[in-house]
Structure formats: C-alpha cells, structure tokens
Amino acid sequence: MTNKPSRIDQAYMALKSAIIEQALRPGDKLPEDEVGQLFSMSRTLVRQVFSRLNSEGLIEIGGKRPATVSIPSLDDAVAAFEVRQALEREVVSLVIKRWTPEHEATLEAHLAKEIEAAKAGNAPTSIRLAGEFHTLLADMTGNPLLSRFVSDVVSRCSVILAVFGRPHSADCGVHEHREIIDAIAAGDAARAWELMHHHLGEVEARALITSSEASPRTLADMLSPYVEGGSIPAPKPAKNRARPRLQVIKETR
C-alpha cells in the first residue's frame, strides 16, 4: 500500500511543478503567508517546503525579503549544462548495462505521453515530460545518488530555460528521445551517448538566447491549477474577512 504524501510533500511537488512548467516565472515572489493560505499550512511548514526547493536551486530565500523563484545567471546556466552532460553520459552507460524489457516499456509509455502532449499543443506538460524523460533514465541506473543529482540539475535547467530559452519544441524533443531509446535498447553505447550529447547541446543552445516576459497574474492565479488539481483542498476564506490580493512583482534584472 502506497503511503499518502504528507502536506509538505504535496505543497513541494505543486510548487516544483508550477516552476518547471513555467506557471511561476523566475523572479516571482512567494510570500510565506499566502503560500500557507493556499496550501492550508503554517509558516513553519512553508519554510520546510521552501528549504527543499532552495536546495534544488529552484527558489532563493534569505533575509527579510520574500522567497522568489530563482533567476539564474548565464554563468549558472553554462555550469549547469556542463554538469548535466557529464552526469547523463554516465546515465546512458549504466542504463545500457542494466537494461531490461521493463525499462523499455516504461520509456515507451512515457514517450507516448510526450507525443500526446505535443499533438495537443500543451506546452507546459511537454516541458515537464521532457525533463521527466531524463529523470526516468537516471532512475533506471539503480544508483539513487546519481538519480538525485540528475533530478536536481534537470530542475535547474528548467528554470534556466524559463529565463533564457526560446519556446520549447516538443516535436524535436520527442524525435530525439525516440532515437535515444532505440540506441539504448540496441545496446549501442557510442550511438546512445552521441545522440544524448547532441540532444543536450540542442537544449543548451535553446536555453541561452532570450529573457523572459513578466507575468501580471497573482500568485493565487498561477498556483490554482496545482492546488485544485491535486489532493490539497483550496483553503476557505475566513468569515467576515476579505482575502487580500497579492500582485506578483518581478525583480529588476
């Protein structure tokens, strides 16, 4: 029987998904009180969630200022992709050594989701699924430490793409993932790594181009799909007390 995720885990995953899918943009503020109200959590629990997101480079915390979605620099971006290339080379090598029919079935099922999202023109879902393809591969290495490092760097790259990236090309990503799966299934390590290296190079090239636009929506607007879409009930407003509206303000870049 699967244990039900804790409220902290649920809030963490909701915020992480919102950042990766670019519903929350780099520089958006995350006031503790409003996040706590949205997820029916105390400030103490919100800080635990923020600590996890900060450790993955997704948000910035500290001092008396509200937490904000991270705004990575170009140097951060270059460093992240250098590390990602090194990690995913090892991923390809280990997955080929430990390849099973179950692994192939899992990746094929995931690729089918990517194709469906691309056909539907669902950019946020395509962005999330593209990153999850790489974390799935890392999980298949059987090395939990490597898997954790890959998950971390993939998340960081998602924020980098939100700052500098051109629009996500779902069709290109699906095609490249298809080729990588075929090479791994064939046990062709040299070909698989060549394809992965090229694929990550294309992602990096897309990541270092333009800056992002400011979002005029409120924090509640941006997070409502992630609160209502999961098992976390949206909080009820207090009686005789109007809920304040918070305007999300971008940091000056």
Side-chain angles (χ1 to χ4, degrees):
M1 180 178 180
T2 304
N3 293 329
K4 182 179 179 181
S6 68
R7 186 162 294 277
I8 291 175
D9 290 336
Q10 291 173 333
Y12 159 76
M13 288 306 304
L15 289 167
K16 182 174 181 177
S17 295
I19 293 169
I20 289 175
E21 294 183 9
Q22 300 179 16
L24 285 171
R25 304 286 297 181
D28 283 344
K29 295 183 183 297
L30 299 169
E32 289 180 0
D33 55 351
E34 187 161 354
V35 172
Q37 185 178 16
L38 287 168
F39 293 101
S40 300
M41 299 170 65
S42 68
R43 284 195 173 194
T44 298
L45 295 182
V46 170
R47 287 168 189 160
Q48 292 183 43
V49 174
F50 283 178
S51 178
R52 290 175 64 178
L53 294 170
N54 175 251
S55 70
E56 296 178 14
L58 296 179
I59 70 171
E60 298 172 1
I61 56 177
K64 296 182 180 180
R65 301 173 63 186
T68 60
V69 178
S70 294
I71 307 176
S73 67
L74 279 173
D75 286 343
D76 294 333
V78 171
F81 277 98
E82 285 178 346
V83 171
R84 186 168 178 181
Q85 286 276 13
L87 290 175
E88 297 217 41
R89 181 175 189 128
E90 185 63 18
V91 165
V92 167
S93 176
L94 290 177
V95 170
I96 287 177
K97 290 178 182 178
R98 299 164 185 176
W99 186 247
T100 68
E102 289 75 18
H103 289 160
E104 185 169 12
T106 297
L107 290 175
E108 291 291 350
H110 185 83
L111 191 64
K113 293 179 183 178
E114 291 191 63
I115 293 171
E116 183 179 355
K119 288 181 177 178
N122 191 332
T125 299
S126 290
I127 291 170
R128 174 176 55 80
L129 290 172
E132 287 179 0
F133 173 81
H134 294 269
T135 58
L136 269 178
L137 274 178
D139 289 342
M140 291 173 184
T141 66
N143 185 317
L145 190 58
L146 178 58
S147 180
R148 192 178 79 190
F149 287 160
V150 170
S151 178
D152 186 325
V153 77
V154 167
S155 295
R156 290 172 188 267
C157 288
S158 295
V159 178
I160 289 165
L161 286 165
V163 175
F164 301 106
R166 291 176 291 169
H168 173 73
S169 177
D171 290 334
C172 291
V174 168
H175 174 70
E176 291 165 3
H177 289 174
R178 169 78 276 160
E179 291 186 321
I180 291 168
I181 293 172
D182 290 344
I184 291 175
D188 189 340
R191 176 62 175 162
W193 167 236
E194 178 186 4
L195 290 167
M196 180 65 80
H197 179 71
H198 173 77
H199 172 56
L200 294 178
E202 289 295 304
V203 175
E204 181 178 5
R206 193 175 77 245
L208 307 179
I209 306 295
T210 60
S211 61
S212 59
E213 300 282 337
S215 169
R217 297 175 298 163
T218 66
L219 182 61
D221 290 334
M222 291 182 283
L223 284 178
S224 60
Y226 300 90
V227 176
E228 296 167 0
S231 57
I232 307 172
K236 297 180 180 179
K239 293 182 179 179
N240 301 321
R241 186 178 176 182
R243 181 182 175 195
R245 289 180 60 81
L246 174 77
Q247 294 297 324
V248 175
I249 303 172
K250 289 291 202 179
E251 297 288 346
T252 301
R253 298 179 187 172

